[in-house]
Amino acid sequence: MQFIIIELTRNTVDGGVVDVFWKAEKTSGENTASTQGNLELTPDIESETFISYASLTEEVVKSWITNSVDATGIEVGLDNILLEMQTPLTQVGLPW
């Protein structure tokens, strides 16, 4: 499973990121399952761990996500979607 950063929202005054929009994606064979979410943040520019928008890396933002969401639960959900794609419980069509 991989997290993909879709977009960041930041304060223009101090460069603090206030929202991270992300997608989690997992592929099995030719099938890909995904889900999206967002992580709301309250930046503290006085903190020694504060990183402004201009200084961020993709790895830092991904670590914010993995430290804040239930990555195991997300992956289990994606695995269930992939299983359904590989062995569907229902099908559409006509018998003739």
Side-chain angles (χ1 to χ4, degrees):
M1 179 182 74
Q2 66 174 341
F3 283 102
I4 300 163
I5 310 304
I6 299 169
E7 187 173 71
L8 303 175
T9 303
R10 69 184 183 280
N11 293 326
T12 55
V13 175
D14 58 22
V17 173
V18 295
D19 215 345
V20 178
F21 296 91
W22 55 266
K23 175 169 70 169
E25 196 172 77
K26 187 169 184 178
T27 300
S28 176
E30 295 181 10
N31 297 315
T32 299
S34 66
T35 188
Q36 294 184 15
N38 73 302
L39 175 62
E40 294 180 8
L41 302 168
T42 305
D44 177 6
I45 63 170
E46 302 299 322
S47 171
E48 60 184 51
T49 60
F50 175 80
I51 305 172
S52 71
Y53 175 83
S55 300
L56 283 173
T57 64
E58 184 177 8
E59 291 75 28
V60 167
V61 177
K62 283 183 178 181
S63 75
W64 292 350
I65 295 167
T66 57
N67 291 329
S68 300
V69 301
D70 178 9
T72 301
I74 291 170
E75 187 161 17
V76 167
L78 295 177
D79 286 339
N80 289 336
I81 293 169
L82 288 168
L83 182 61
E84 171 69 20
M85 292 171 131
Q86 293 167 359
T87 55
L89 299 176
T90 60
Q91 294 181 331
V92 294
L94 299 170
W96 60 89

